[in-house]
Amino acid sequence: MLLDGDEWRAMFREFRSEAWRLETLPQYLVPQEREELDAFRSGKRIDPHTYVSAYAEDLKQLRNEGRSKGRVHVLTRPLSEYLLFEFSRYYAPHVLAGEEVRILDVTDRENPLPGVQDFWMFDRTTVVLMHYEEDGTQIGRELYDGDPAPFIEYQRIAVAESVPFSEYMSE
C-alpha cells in the first residue's frame, strides 16, 4: 500500500513510543526545501539554539509525552552540499529539541548495511519503505507488509555502528 497525505501524517501522530528512520542518500530533493537551500547556498545560517519550527516544537512535545524520534544517516565524505545544509538546518536544531540523530560514516570502512534502503519504522512493528529516484527525489512511500524483524536488526546495527550527531560534528 502506498502512503500519502493523511495516511502518512497519521503514522507520525499515532505512534506510541518510537518513530525511527534510516537515511542512506547523499541528498534528498524536496521542493519545499528549495528556498531554504538557496538561502544556505548564499551563506545564510540559522542559530540552532534560537531556531523555532513546528517540527522542533513537535519533537519537544513528543519528548514530554515519553515518545521519541530518531534516525541514523549513512554517509561518506566528502559531505555533499545537501548534507552540509541538512546538518545545519535540520540536525543541529532537532538534536537540541530532542531527536536522536546519529551518523554512520562509512568513508573508511565497510558499510554494515549494504543495499538497505531508506525506511521509517514506527514502534518496531510498522515499516514504511521510502522510494527515491537516483537523484534523491522521493517517488513514493510503501507500507511494508512483511515481518519487521529484519528492519529491527537494521536499526540495531545502525545505532551500534554510528555515533551521535554532536560527537560526529566535534571530530
Side-chain angles (χ1 to χ4, degrees):
M1 176 171 96
L2 295 179
L3 290 178
D4 210 3
D6 288 338
E7 292 173 320
W8 177 237
R9 286 186 290 279
M11 302 296 286
F12 291 94
R13 281 192 312 270
E14 296 170 4
F15 75 90
R16 293 181 316 277
S17 61
E18 179 188 51
W20 189 85
R21 175 157 166 67
L22 180 71
E23 296 177 306
T24 64
L25 302 179
Q27 76 174 4
Y28 295 91
L29 297 181
V30 182
Q32 306 91 296
E33 292 179 340
R34 179 163 292 144
E35 191 174 306
E36 292 172 345
L37 184 54
D38 288 342
F40 178 82
R41 286 177 174 138
S42 68
K44 183 177 179 189
R45 300 294 185 269
I46 64 163
D47 179 348
H49 297 280
T50 60
Y51 178 73
V52 177
S53 73
Y55 188 86
E57 293 306 308
D58 182 54
L59 287 169
K60 292 174 188 175
Q61 180 64 33
L62 289 172
R63 195 175 187 185
N64 289 338
E65 295 169 358
R67 300 190 297 159
S68 67
K69 274 189 185 174
R71 70 185 66 226
V72 171
H73 200 135
V74 181
L75 56 79
T76 58
R77 293 181 312 273
L79 298 178
S80 67
E81 176 187 57
Y82 181 83
L83 284 176
L84 294 171
F85 162 71
E86 187 174 54
F87 281 17
S88 169
R89 171 65 179 75
Y90 297 114
Y91 290 177
H94 294 167
V95 165
L96 293 173
E99 184 169 5
E100 184 182 345
V101 178
R102 300 179 67 85
I103 304 298
L104 175 50
D105 188 330
V106 295
T107 303
D108 299 320
R109 59 177 286 194
E110 189 174 323
N111 183 348
L113 298 168
V116 177
Q117 76 177 86
D118 284 42
F119 67 89
W120 273 99
M121 183 166 51
F122 300 90
D123 298 320
R124 297 185 179 190
T125 58
T126 303
V127 175
V128 177
L129 302 174
M130 307 297 287
H131 299 292
Y132 296 91
E133 295 285 354
E134 196 170 307
D135 69 357
T137 301
Q138 188 177 96
I139 55 174
R141 301 177 199 102
E142 175 188 358
L143 186 60
Y144 178 75
D145 64 358
D147 183 355
F151 296 91
I152 294 168
E153 180 64 6
Y154 298 151
Q155 179 188 30
R156 186 196 67 74
I157 292 167
V159 170
E161 299 288 333
S162 62
V163 298
F165 174 72
S166 56
E167 182 179 324
Y168 184 79
M169 293 304 293
S170 68
E171 292 178 357

